Amino acid sequence: MRVNKRGVVVAIGSAMTLTTIMAAPVFADTTSADVTNEESILDTAAWTNRVAANVQSYANIRSGATTESERVGVLMPGHAAEVVENDGNWSKIKSGNVEGYVRNDLLVFGEEARVHYSNVCGFTGTVDGEGLRVRAEANTDSEILAMPENGSKLTVKADQGDWYNVSIGGTDAYVNAQYLDVDDVGSVALSVEEYEAQLAAEAAAQAAKEAEAAKAAEAASASAVESSTQESASSGETASASSSELNLLAALIQCEAGGESRTGKVAVGAVVLNRVNSGSFANSITDVIYEGGQFSPVTNGSLSRTLANGARSDCYEAAQAALNGENPIGSALYFNSGSGRGIQIGNQHFY
């Protein structure tokens, strides 16, 4: 259902003749047409018998009002349904192509459901007419922010009578209500088959993304090794590392010094190699980096995410340079931001 507020103006003559005046073209938003009483999905009253899923992942829809019943569909977070009946513990709902039972503790009802749906999924409206003016305020004298094409979609935040409060690029704006048809709820239940197909599509997309990232990381690693081996090391001895250790060192450098200069990046790599050679830490790059309580990217998960996506080529180059013997920080074993001691390189101090 769409709600259209374009009204019809009538004039009744002395002879009781009825003349219909057609709506003017939408090149003006100054008309003051009568507003129909058709219920809007934006109104609280439209949600009297509706619910929304108040969950983090999904709510199961079952064939009967028990957790042992067959699952027939799912309601994703915020998605809406109509209530057919409610026994206090379970609601029989209808949503999309699915009908079944959902536990009440997984749902919000009425006005709370309307607000939750608006916050999570959002209401939309379809532009109905040419030349619609989107304005900064709810009046025809305010600044025109945009003129969307007929049939395009707008995010609708609230019904303000003759105007709708909409969002344009995250900015509050207003359109004449006559020329925007508010769409019915579009975020509804998925059948088990639809949900499994969606999961399969998402998994395929993620696998393709990871494969592309791995390919890019491999190319960046090869490029970094080639460019670094063409230069002689400025000092120290060349260290050897497996490809997995090079990947790990490059990822750590990106996490700890991704925004620093090349020297700052090499310095982080040199700290790791200094520890490997010091006798006070583990004797491998992997063990030094994963030693407990040493590098925050390990504990906060950013290192594993960077490894999964592949480090940038500049970080690979810095890692290989450190392995080739470049060392701008001497025997320093530690670094941090703002300590004020040791050798400062960019925003970090090495000591």
Side-chain angles (χ1 to χ4, degrees):
M1 178 190 74
R2 289 181 180 171
V3 177
N4 189 324
K5 291 193 176 183
R6 183 177 292 130
V8 178
V9 180
V10 298
I12 304 177
S14 58
M16 299 299 291
T17 57
L18 183 64
T19 304
T20 301
I21 303 176
M22 301 304 292
V26 190
F27 288 99
D29 50 12
T30 58
T31 174
S32 58
D34 295 336
V35 176
T36 68
N37 291 323
E38 188 174 0
E39 189 176 84
S40 169
I41 196 63
L42 300 173
D43 298 336
T44 299
W47 288 78
T48 301
N49 293 315
R50 293 181 191 253
V51 294
N54 186 25
V55 292
Q56 293 295 320
S57 54
Y58 58 82
N60 284 318
I61 305 171
R62 299 190 177 276
S63 60
T66 68
T67 56
E68 290 78 26
S69 298
E70 178 188 7
R71 185 173 73 160
V72 295
V74 297
L75 268 181
M76 304 303 288
H79 287 204
E82 295 181 12
V83 177
V84 178
E85 59 186 54
N86 184 343
D87 69 3
N89 295 313
W90 291 78
S91 287
K92 184 178 183 181
I93 60 96
K94 184 175 182 180
S95 180
N97 298 318
V98 183
E99 186 169 344
Y101 295 83
V102 180
R103 288 187 357 234
N104 285 350
D105 61 311
L106 304 179
L107 304 170
V108 286
F109 296 76
E111 171 62 6
E112 190 176 357
R114 185 190 70 82
V115 172
H116 189 53
Y117 182 90
S118 178
N119 290 338
V120 177
C121 303
F123 295 104
T124 60
T126 304
V127 175
D128 183 16
E130 300 291 344
L132 174 64
R133 296 170 174 87
V134 179
R135 295 187 178 272
E137 301 292 342
N139 63 74
T140 57
D141 297 322
S142 64
E143 176 187 2
I144 298 174
L145 301 180
M147 294 182 66
E149 295 181 357
N150 186 25
S152 60
K153 297 288 187 180
L154 297 179
T155 298
V156 183
K157 299 179 68 176
D159 184 344
Q160 298 191 346
D162 291 340
W163 296 81
Y164 283 126
N165 177 202
V166 299
S167 178
I168 297 289
T171 300
D172 269 7
Y174 299 84
V175 297
N176 192 302
Q178 295 181 87
Y179 308 119
L180 190 70
D181 296 343
V182 177
D183 304 325
D184 201 353
V185 293
S187 298
V188 293
L190 299 174
S191 67
V192 171
E193 294 77 13
E194 290 169 333
Y195 180 57
E196 290 176 348
Q198 177 176 295
L199 289 180
E202 291 173 353
Q206 181 62 28
K209 180 180 177 182
E210 291 176 357
E212 186 64 26
K215 183 178 179 181
E218 183 179 354
S221 176
S223 175
V225 171
E226 180 180 356
S227 62
S228 293
T229 53
Q230 291 174 352
E231 302 175 359
S232 59
S234 61
S235 63
E237 298 179 355
T238 299
S240 61
S242 65
S243 60
S244 63
E245 287 182 317
L246 176 61
N247 293 341
L248 183 60
L249 186 59
L252 181 71
I253 288 172
Q254 180 168 320
C255 292
E256 294 283 14
E260 299 293 328
S261 66
R262 179 185 182 277
T263 301
K265 293 180 177 67
V266 174
V268 169
V271 164
V272 173
L273 296 176
N274 283 349
R275 291 189 179 191
V276 171
N277 296 322
S278 71
S280 300
F281 293 86
N283 59 3
S284 74
I285 292 173
T286 300
D287 290 342
V288 163
I289 290 176
Y290 283 115
E291 188 170 349
Q294 296 301 311
F295 296 102
S296 59
V298 174
T299 55
N300 64 27
S302 62
L303 181 63
S304 61
R305 291 191 294 272
T306 303
L307 275 171
N309 294 325
R312 301 194 311 256
S313 59
D314 59 332
C315 297
Y316 270 103
E317 192 279 328
Q320 188 62 55
L323 287 167
N324 287 347
E326 287 192 42
N327 184 343
I329 45 87
S331 60
L333 296 173
Y334 302 93
F335 64 92
N336 60 34
S337 299
S339 69
R341 58 175 169 162
I343 301 170
Q344 182 175 359
I345 302 175
N347 296 309
Q348 296 180 323
H349 291 79
F350 296 82
Y351 56 94

